[in-house]
């Protein structure tokens, strides 16, 4: 039986998960493919680090260039992360005629445009299913399953760590840093967990999803990005009181005049919608196509097993089409390279229309709510829910939370500036967008 030789860069959470699948599912893989995989070599950073899997029969090296230069390696599986060395190695591998399978969303989001071009020049493939939404085959769904549609919008929970944290925050007295530490121990978080908490990882993934959905260049620097670090336990509680859950969403939508909105931010979603019920490390992506309508994809968004499952599927796709010419493979971003829109019009966040939740402190004195309502009404904003409660630690102040109707974001920003300038209002106002996905 024909064997394909793999060279792995990295043997951490995902790399170990892949070796585990190759070992435990080889019979099933061979039944499906009529081919088998061999591991030629694996690069790690520290040869002395204890490993989750037995490495006795695998040649390990701490020089990753050995892997990409190894003449026996046919496919380089990049599972080490980062955007500098990983990119150099992937470029070198492509120039050496090796196909690439990667889970590295940061590298694809930041350097994918150039890497796909280089791959085409050298007639090799880059597969990256594991880079978005862990084990969910979302890239295959967008590139192939929904190819007959014009995607109008998509919205998803695309960071497992962030969703795990927001879910745990619903429990009384949950401690943010302790919850994050658990997510790290479970292998969910990025090497730098601020990527998860500040929305950077979700923005990398949204960049990829938006390109696949709309046939636009990868445009990471133009994604509006907001994380979850400013969400308090009070916000989670008030959202609940109003009938919402707080979810960290990546949203890409097609606007008028061929403009696109690309944004990542916490969002209040009504408890009755499916996304509200996606908890823990689970991810879900809702995609609306012009013919199919809305479809939704759900599954584990992080962790070794789920992510390696997506890497394995890519390897099998590649192996199945091994002898096929370059053009017989689905194009990297799903569209013919020369048909991808360069410099697409990405809308400013100030141009979107959305409802808002806001929380702020006011001086506890008569007439304050009437003055707040009047200020918002003067700016053409109406209040949907309003709640006020005393603050046990600040007896002279009260906490006010409210939600609004759908307004233009730029206009709402101006209204908030007026509110913050009122004598009644103390400190900064926290705002979270509200949507009915
Ligand atoms: P990880 O557990 O930190 O593993 C990284 C591996 O790369 C380690 O084996 C490390 O070696 C090796 N490595 C790092 N720098 C190296 C260098 N300079 N030379 C040689 N080897 C080096 O990371 P991971 O969680 O598996 O993530 C890997 C990639 O998958 C990242 O791009 C990540 O964003 C992506 N991803 C992860 C998940 C997830 O749930 N974890 C899900 C989807 C995508 P040592 O073991 O010796 O330190
Ligand atoms: N850190 C990422 C997450 C890993 O938590 O979603 C999966 O891409």
């Amino acid at each position: 039986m024909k064997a394909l030789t793999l060279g792995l860069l990295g043997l951490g959470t995902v790399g170990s998960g892949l070796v585990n699948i190759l070992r435990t599912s080889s019979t099933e893989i061979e039944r499906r493919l009529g081919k088998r995989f061999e591991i030629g070599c694996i690069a790690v950073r520290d040869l002395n680090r204890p490993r989750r899997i037995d490495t006795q029969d695998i040649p390990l090296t701490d020089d990753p260039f050995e892997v990409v230069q190894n003449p026996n390696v046919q496919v380089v599986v990049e599972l080490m992360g980062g955007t500098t060395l990983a990119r150099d190695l992937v470029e070198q591998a492509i120039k050496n005629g090796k196909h690439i399978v990667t889970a590295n969303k940061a590298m694809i989001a930041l350097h994918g445009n150039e890497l796909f071009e280089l791959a085409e020049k050298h007639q090799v493939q880059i597969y990256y299913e594991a880079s978005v939404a862990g084990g969910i085959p979302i890239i295959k769904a967008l590139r192939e399953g929904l190819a007959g549609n014009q995607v109008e919008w998509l919205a998803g929970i695309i960071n497992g760590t962030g969703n795990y944290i927001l879910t745990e925050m619903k429990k009384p007295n949950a401690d943010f840093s302790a919850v994050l530490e658990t997510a790290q121990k479970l292998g969910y978080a990025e090497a730098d967990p601020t990527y998860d908490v500040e929305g950077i990882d979700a923005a990398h993934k949204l960049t990829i999803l938006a390109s696949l959905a709309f046939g636009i260049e990868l445009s990471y620097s133009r994604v509006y990005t907001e994380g979850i670090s400013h969400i308090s336990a009070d916000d989670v509680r008030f959202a609940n009181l109003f009938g919402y859950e707080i979810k960290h969403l990546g949203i890409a939508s097609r606007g008028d005049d061929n403009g696109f909105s690309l944004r990542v931010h916490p969002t209040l979603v009504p408890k009755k919608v499916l996304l509200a019920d996606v908890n823990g490390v689970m991810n879900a992506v809702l995609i609306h196509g012009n013919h199919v309508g809305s479809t939704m994809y759900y599954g584990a968004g992080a962790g070794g097993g789920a992510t390696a499952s997506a890497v394995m599927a890519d390897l099998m796709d590649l192996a199945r089409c091994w002898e096929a010419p370059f053009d017989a493979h689905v194009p990297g971003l799903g569209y013919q390279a020369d048909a991808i829109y360069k410099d697409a019009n990405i809308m400013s966040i100030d141009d979107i229309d959305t409802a808002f939740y806001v929380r702020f402190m006011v001086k506890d004195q008569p007439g304050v709510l009437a003055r707040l309502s009047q200020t918002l009404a003067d700016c053409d904003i109406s209040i949907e829910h309003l709640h006020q409660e005393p603050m046990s630690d600040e007896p002279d102040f009260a906490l006010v939370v409210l939600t609004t109707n759908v307004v233009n974001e730029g206009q709402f920003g101006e209204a908030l500036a007026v509110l913050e300038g009122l004598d009644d209002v103390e400190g900064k106002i926290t705002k979270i967008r509200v949507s009915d996905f």
Side-chain angles (χ1 to χ4, degrees), residues 10-15 43-46 49 51-52 62 64 79-82 85 103-105 130 187-190 301-304 307:
L11 187 57
T13 302
V14 186
V44 294
R45 188 170 22 206
D46 178 359
R49 184 188 287 263
R51 299 284 154 197
R52 282 164 246 227
D62 58 4
L79 303 173
M80 57 187 262
L85 179 59
N104 190 336
K105 51 273 168 132
Y188 301 159
E190 293 303 298
T307 311

Side-chain angles (χ1 to χ4, degrees), residues 63-327:
D63 176 6
F65 283 93
E66 260 184 37
V67 174
V68 301
Q69 282 156 3
N70 185 328
N72 297 324
V73 166
Q74 295 163 290
V75 182
V76 168
V77 189
E78 188 278 303
L79 303 173
M80 57 187 262
T83 54
T84 311
L85 179 59
R87 178 201 185 171
D88 290 348
L89 290 162
V90 165
E91 281 181 353
Q92 192 61 63
I94 292 172
K95 287 177 185 163
N96 290 342
K98 301 181 195 307
H99 298 285
I100 307 295
V101 173
T102 181
N104 190 336
K105 51 273 168 132
M107 180 182 69
I108 296 292
L110 268 59
H111 305 303
N113 294 321
E114 299 78 26
L115 289 175
F116 285 118
E117 201 177 315
L118 187 69
E120 185 166 2
K121 184 170 164 207
H122 291 271
Q123 300 282 287
V124 298
Q125 304 298 328
I126 303 176
Y127 277 76
Y128 55 101
E129 182 63 70
S131 67
V132 184
I136 306 173
I138 195 69
I139 290 175
K140 206 171 191 55
L142 271 169
R143 252 183 3 178
E144 299 173 52
L146 299 176
N149 288 265
Q150 172 167 296
V151 175
E152 304 297 352
W153 55 262
L154 61 85
I157 295 167
I158 48 179
N159 182 270
T161 304
N163 202 44
Y164 179 79
I165 292 173
L166 286 175
T167 305
E168 291 294 307
M169 276 173 76
K170 287 197 280 183
K171 297 180 183 162
N173 307 320
D175 175 63
F176 192 96
S177 38
V179 175
L180 174 59
E181 211 173 292
T182 309
Q184 287 177 291
K185 281 196 189 122
L186 291 167
Y188 301 159
E190 293 303 298
D192 176 354
T194 57
Y195 276 43
D196 298 291
V197 172
E198 298 304 344
I200 301 162
D201 177 74
H204 289 148
K205 293 165 175 166
L206 187 80
T207 301
I208 296 172
L209 291 179
S211 279
L212 291 161
F214 306 134
I216 59 176
E217 268 195 329
L218 294 153
S219 314
Y220 169 71
S221 62
R222 297 160 79 193
V223 178
Y224 173 82
T225 306
E226 207 180 285
I228 58 169
S229 56
H230 62 294
I231 304 293
S232 70
D234 275 342
D235 293 323
V236 174
R237 181 167 64 86
F238 291 133
N240 242 276
L241 191 72
F242 292 161
Y244 294 92
E245 298 284 349
I246 301 181
K247 293 292 170 193
H248 192 220
L249 297 188
I251 302 169
S253 59
R254 193 184 286 274
D256 301 334
D257 303 328
N258 261 340
F260 300 96
S261 166
L262 311 184
R263 49 201 171 98
V264 164
H265 51 70
T267 310
L268 266 73
V269 293
K271 279 176 188 288
K272 62 175 191 277
V273 306
L274 286 170
L275 283 177
D277 220 10
V278 175
N279 292 309
V281 75
M282 303 313 269
N283 280 191
V285 185
L286 194 54
I287 303 177
H288 190 87
N290 63 337
H291 299 303
V292 70
S294 291
T295 58
M296 181 152 159
Y297 308 82
Y298 171 87
T307 311
S309 152
V311 174
M312 194 65 238
D314 275 354
L315 285 169
M316 291 170 74
D317 260 359
L318 194 51
R320 203 175 278 116
C321 301
W322 193 253
E323 269 91 32
F326 180 83
D327 288 342

